[in-house]
Amino acid sequence: MPYVDRQNRICGFLDIEENENSGKFLRRYFILDTKEGSLVWYMDNPQNLPKGAEHVGSFKLSYISKVSDATKLRPKAEFCFVINAGMRKFYLQANDQQDLVEWVNVLNNATKITVPKSGDGQPSAEMPQEVLGSMKQISYKTEIIGGVPIITATQEQGDGGQNGADRGGLRKAHSQLPYFLGRGVQDQALIKAGYCVKQGALMKNWKRRYFLLEENAVSYFKSDLEREPLRVIPLKEVHKVQECKQSDLMQRDNLFEVVTSSRTFYIQSDSPEEMHSWIKAISGAIVAQRGPGRSAASRVKFDSEILTFPK
């Protein structure tokens, strides 16, 4: 779902058909900046890219004439909507129907806000209340399409790796199992799976990892194609799962922490909804594992999104 970041911009992941009529959708991170009057998209959340990484594409909001549902125009592309910018149409795919509706609304509202009427002063950058809710680029080109300047990358996007993921890549990884888990009966029941960004233990750098939550452990992999996890965290070692209190200090949105006796894992989700979903899923798995038949000293304390588990 689109969310408001610390700079009051609307952000989130979408899939976009960058080459018109190609039928190939690529996963991108979008930033709708009403103060700058622009829609910009990157290979990933800029927080997870090398410092100074350039955007993949962008255009001014003033060029947008209409944003609408395009499921009838593209019946094979689910949750599809279209941005009309001059003579060019940009087709994008949302993650679900609610995501589609919210993006269409925020884009249409942003267009109304950023296009001033004759004689008006500076347009307001404040969004209405209802709106809230690793390839390195080398060069770019500017094309005049239907009188609209469109800035796009000239480098060919690779098919390998998650940053070049097409429609079968990152977005589906949120709801589908890795290929090796879907082939046979597993020893543990899979509860939740998807990509998040995790801080490293030593270098303190941030890398996108594929997480799997099972009934007894949460594991993370380099990607959803890997067989062996980089690490397995037994749920019996987890003492606390909560929204991170240091998110302001770390300058990270949608950040939560998994606290164990040996380490605190800092994990960033792609949206506030995903963050709360992971917190509730991990907490629920821990409660299910430890069971209700414990003494009063081992009861679980619920405090908003903070769940503390006795050692």
Side-chain angles (χ1 to χ4, degrees):
M1 301 295 172
Y3 69 94
V4 181
D5 70 1
R6 298 174 186 280
Q7 300 179 51
N8 202 34
R9 304 174 302 180
I10 306 296
C11 306
F13 280 97
L14 292 167
D15 297 344
I16 182 172
E17 184 186 52
E18 290 181 338
N19 296 321
E20 194 171 9
N21 298 321
S22 67
K24 184 175 183 180
F25 288 79
L26 301 173
R27 189 71 166 171
R28 299 289 183 249
Y29 185 84
F30 283 76
I31 297 177
L32 172 60
D33 193 333
T34 56
K35 289 184 178 180
E36 295 295 328
S38 63
L39 179 67
V40 184
W41 57 97
Y42 294 82
M43 298 289 287
D44 195 357
N45 187 328
Q47 292 182 329
N48 307 321
L49 295 174
K51 188 176 181 179
E54 297 290 339
H55 56 258
V56 177
S58 69
F59 55 77
K60 292 292 183 180
L61 296 181
S62 57
Y63 301 144
I64 298 177
S65 58
K66 185 180 179 182
V67 185
S68 58
D69 190 318
T71 51
K72 292 183 179 179
L73 296 175
R74 292 290 185 90
K76 293 184 179 180
E78 59 180 352
F79 313 125
C80 185
F81 65 95
V82 59
I83 298 176
N84 292 275
M87 297 298 292
R88 170 74 194 269
K89 292 183 177 181
F90 290 87
Y91 287 92
L92 302 98
Q93 287 182 282
N95 297 299
D96 53 39
Q97 185 61 34
Q98 183 180 352
D99 194 36
L100 182 155
V101 171
E102 291 191 11
W103 271 109
V104 170
N105 287 340
V106 297
L107 285 166
N108 277 323
N109 276 298
T111 303
K112 293 176 185 177
I113 291 170
T114 55
V115 180
K117 296 180 181 179
S118 178
D120 285 351
Q122 291 294 323
S124 171
E126 184 177 353
M127 298 296 290
Q129 186 64 33
E130 63 268 18
V131 172
L132 299 180
S134 302
M135 189 191 318
K136 188 175 181 179
Q137 304 304 311
I138 295 177
S139 59
Y140 297 85
K141 62 181 179 180
T142 301
E143 297 177 291
I144 306 299
I145 303 176
V148 177
I150 304 296
I151 306 170
T152 54
T154 58
Q155 181 171 339
E156 181 75 12
Q157 304 298 333
D159 292 328
Q162 68 187 46
N163 283 342
D166 60 11
R167 193 58 185 168
L170 262 180
R171 193 186 75 85
K172 289 191 175 181
H174 286 278
S175 57
Q176 294 186 356
L177 309 185
Y179 75 96
F180 62 89
L181 284 177
R183 290 183 173 182
V185 179
Q186 300 300 303
D187 295 333
Q188 301 185 52
L190 183 66
I191 299 171
K192 185 174 176 62
Y195 278 96
C196 292
V197 178
K198 185 190 69 68
Q199 186 187 57
L202 300 177
M203 301 298 293
K204 304 301 180 183
N205 54 345
W206 296 82
K207 292 185 178 180
R208 186 169 289 274
R209 296 293 184 231
Y210 190 79
F211 283 77
L212 291 180
L213 172 61
E214 298 169 301
E215 58 186 0
N216 293 318
V218 57
S219 310
Y220 55 87
F221 302 73
K222 189 172 183 180
S223 76
D224 61 322
L225 300 178
E226 298 294 324
R227 290 177 177 270
E228 296 298 326
L230 296 173
R231 180 157 184 166
V232 177
I233 308 169
L235 295 183
K236 64 182 180 180
E237 296 181 5
V238 177
H239 304 316
K240 187 185 298 183
V241 184
Q242 65 182 20
E243 186 170 352
C244 183
K245 296 179 180 179
Q246 300 185 55
S247 58
D248 289 336
L249 183 64
M250 293 185 175
Q251 291 296 303
R252 291 265 165 175
D253 296 308
N254 316 319
L255 191 66
F256 68 98
E257 57 188 20
V258 177
V259 182
T260 70
S261 55
S262 60
R263 177 183 168 187
T264 297
F265 295 86
Y266 295 103
I267 304 169
Q268 182 184 24
S269 300
D270 290 339
S271 69
E273 292 82 7
E274 267 299 294
M275 177 190 69
H276 292 299
S277 176
W278 274 108
I279 292 173
K280 291 178 181 178
I282 296 173
S283 302
I286 293 173
V287 172
Q289 181 194 61
R290 299 180 186 180
R294 294 296 186 95
S295 65
S298 62
R299 290 176 184 170
V300 179
K301 177 184 177 183
F302 290 85
D303 180 12
S304 181
E305 286 298 334
I306 301 176
L307 294 142
T308 304
F309 303 93
K311 298 180 181 179

